Amino acid sequence: MKISIIGAGLIGGSMALKLREKGMADFIYGIDNNQQHINEALKLSIIDAGTDLEYGVKNADFIIVAIPVDAARKLLPKVLDLVSDKQTVMDAGSTKAGIVNAVRNHPNRSRFVAFHPMWGTENNGPTSAVAESFSGKAGVICNKEESAADALQLVEKVAENLDMHLIYMDAEDHDIHTAYISHISHITSYALANTVLEKEREEETIFQLASSGFSSTVRLAKSHPEMWVPIFKQNKENVLDVLNEHITQLRKFKAALEKENYEYLEELITNANRIRGILR
C-alpha cells in the first residue's frame, strides 16, 4: 500500500514508522510546507520521498492528514477533491466536529474517516517520532456511519497495526470529552508555567528546585502554540465550559485556605482521590 502523510511531524511520522514496521506501507510520501521536516523525515527513513499535495494524494492508496486542526479543516476538502472511490483519507486531529462539518456535504465524504489517536507529547517534528508511540492508547473514530464500509475497515486495520484500541463516538461528544480530559490539562499547564515564571524570576532557582511533581505537571506547557491555539479555537465553547468549572474548583481550594477550613480542604482532596479508582 502506498501511503501519503500530510504533515511529516510527530504524529504523522510516528504513524509512518509503525505502519512501515508492520508491513502495511510499501512506499510513503511526505507532504509538508516545512522543507526541513521533509529533509529530516527522509534522513530518518520515515518517508521514501517528499512531494506536493496533488501528486501525493493522487498516487496514494491511503492518505493521513496530520496537521493542526485549523489547517486540516481548510485542506481536507481539497484533499477529497483529488481522491477516487478507491482511496481512503484519515485525519489525526484533536478536535472533530469542525473537521467533520467542513466535509459533511462533500461528494467524496464517504472516503474520509475522522480519527483521533489519543497520544501526543510536548515535542514536535519528525525527529521526535517514535514507532511505538500509539501502543496501548485509544483511537477514536467519529461519525463512522458517514464513512464507506471499506474506508472504515482500512482505518480500523491501521489502528490495529498501530496497536491501538478503538472507541466509536459522535464528533460533538468527542469534543466535549476531550475538552475535559485533554484540553484543560494543557491550559492548566500553561497557566501554572506562567504563574511560576511571574512569581519566581530566578530561572536558576526554578531549575534547581523543580520537583518531579512540578516537572510532570508543567511538562505540557512546552507544547507548541501552533498546534494548541487552533485546538482551543475549534473547541472554544467546550473548553470555556470546562475552564469555568476548573476556576470554580480552584476557588474552593482558595476559600478553604483563606478561611482556614482545613476539614473542607481535606474533603476536596479526598474527593479528588476518587480518580485513583478510574486511572490506575
Coordinates of all heavy atoms in Angstrom, one line a residue, residues 120-122 182 184-187 189-190 215-224 228:
G120 N 0.1 12.1 22.4 CA 0.9 13.3 22.0 C 1.9 13.6 23.0 O 1.8 13.2 24.2
T121 N 2.9 14.4 22.7 CA 3.9 14.9 23.6 C 4.1 16.4 23.4 O 3.5 17.0 22.5 CB 5.2 14.2 23.5 OG1 5.9 14.7 22.3 CG2 5.1 12.7 23.3
E122 N 4.9 17.0 24.2 CA 5.2 18.4 24.1 C 6.2 18.7 23.0 O 6.5 19.8 22.6 CB 5.8 18.9 25.4 CG 7.2 18.4 25.8 CD 7.2 17.1 26.5 OE1 6.1 16.4 26.4 OE2 8.2 16.8 27.1
S182 N -8.3 16.3 28.1 CA -7.1 16.7 27.4 C -6.8 18.2 27.3 O -5.8 18.7 27.8 CB -7.1 16.1 26.0 OG -6.0 16.5 25.2
I184 N -8.1 20.8 28.9 CA -8.0 21.6 30.1 C -6.6 21.3 30.7 O -6.1 22.2 31.4 CB -9.1 21.3 31.1 CG1 -9.1 22.2 32.3 CG2 -9.1 19.8 31.6 CD1 -9.2 23.7 32.0
S185 N -6.1 20.1 30.5 CA -4.8 19.8 31.1 C -3.7 20.7 30.5 O -2.8 21.2 31.2 CB -4.4 18.4 30.8 OG -5.3 17.5 31.3
H186 N -3.8 21.0 29.2 CA -2.8 21.9 28.6 C -3.0 23.4 29.1 O -2.0 24.0 29.4 CB -3.0 21.9 27.1 CG -2.4 20.6 26.5 ND1 -3.0 19.4 26.6 CD2 -1.2 20.4 25.9 CE1 -2.2 18.5 26.0 NE2 -1.1 19.1 25.6
I187 N -4.3 23.8 29.2 CA -4.5 25.2 29.7 C -3.9 25.3 31.1 O -3.3 26.3 31.5 CB -6.0 25.6 29.7 CG1 -6.4 25.8 28.2 CG2 -6.2 26.8 30.5 CD1 -7.8 26.2 28.1
S189 N -1.6 23.6 32.5 CA -0.1 23.6 32.5 C 0.5 24.9 32.0 O 1.4 25.4 32.6 CB 0.3 22.4 31.6 OG 1.7 22.3 31.6
Y190 N -0.1 25.5 31.0 CA 0.3 26.8 30.5 C 0.2 27.8 31.6 O 1.1 28.7 31.9 CB -0.5 27.3 29.3 CG -0.2 26.5 28.0 CD1 -1.3 26.0 27.3 CD2 1.1 26.3 27.6 CE1 -1.1 25.3 26.1 CE2 1.3 25.6 26.4 CZ 0.2 25.1 25.7 OH 0.4 24.4 24.5
S215 N 7.6 19.2 37.5 CA 8.0 19.0 36.1 C 7.0 18.2 35.3 O 6.7 18.5 34.2 CB 9.3 18.2 36.2 OG 10.4 19.0 36.8
S216 N 6.3 17.2 35.9 CA 5.3 16.4 35.2 C 4.1 17.3 35.0 O 3.5 17.2 33.9 CB 5.0 15.2 36.0 OG 4.4 15.5 37.2
T217 N 3.7 18.1 35.9 CA 2.5 18.9 35.8 C 2.7 20.0 34.7 O 1.8 20.3 33.9 CB 2.2 19.6 37.1 OG1 2.0 18.6 38.1 CG2 0.9 20.4 37.0
V218 N 3.9 20.6 34.6 CA 4.2 21.7 33.7 C 4.7 21.2 32.4 O 4.9 22.1 31.5 CB 5.1 22.7 34.4 CG1 6.6 22.3 34.2 CG2 4.9 24.1 33.9
R219 N 4.9 19.9 32.2 CA 5.5 19.4 31.0 C 4.7 19.8 29.8 O 5.3 20.2 28.7 CB 5.5 17.9 31.1 CG 6.0 17.2 29.8 CD 6.0 15.7 29.9 NE 4.6 15.2 30.1 CZ 3.8 15.0 29.1 NH1 4.1 15.2 27.9 NH2 2.6 14.5 29.4
L220 N 3.4 19.8 29.9 CA 2.6 20.2 28.7 C 2.7 21.6 28.3 O 2.4 22.0 27.2 CB 1.1 19.9 29.0 CG 0.7 18.4 29.3 CD1 -0.7 18.3 29.6 CD2 1.1 17.5 28.1
A221 N 3.2 22.5 29.2 CA 3.4 23.9 28.8 C 4.5 24.1 27.8 O 4.7 25.1 27.2 CB 3.8 24.7 30.1
K222 N 5.3 23.0 27.5 CA 6.3 23.0 26.4 C 5.6 22.8 25.1 O 6.3 23.0 24.0 CB 7.3 22.0 26.7 CG 8.1 22.1 28.0 CD 9.0 20.9 28.2 CE 9.6 20.9 29.6 NZ 10.5 19.7 29.8
S223 N 4.3 22.4 25.0 CA 3.7 22.2 23.8 C 3.5 23.4 22.9 O 3.3 24.5 23.5 CB 2.3 21.6 24.0 OG 2.4 20.4 24.8
H224 N 3.6 23.3 21.6 CA 3.7 24.5 20.8 C 2.4 25.1 20.5 O 1.4 24.5 20.3 CB 4.4 24.1 19.4 CG 5.8 23.8 19.6 ND1 6.8 24.6 19.2 CD2 6.5 22.7 20.1 CE1 8.0 24.1 19.4 NE2 7.8 22.9 20.0
W228 N -1.8 24.1 19.5 CA -2.8 24.2 20.6 C -3.7 25.4 20.5 O -4.9 25.3 20.9 CB -2.2 24.1 22.0 CG -1.9 22.7 22.3 CD1 -0.7 22.0 22.1 CD2 -2.9 21.7 22.7 NE1 -0.9 20.7 22.4 CE2 -2.2 20.5 22.8 CE3 -4.2 21.8 23.1 CZ2 -2.9 19.3 23.2 CZ3 -4.9 20.7 23.5 CH2 -4.2 19.5 23.5

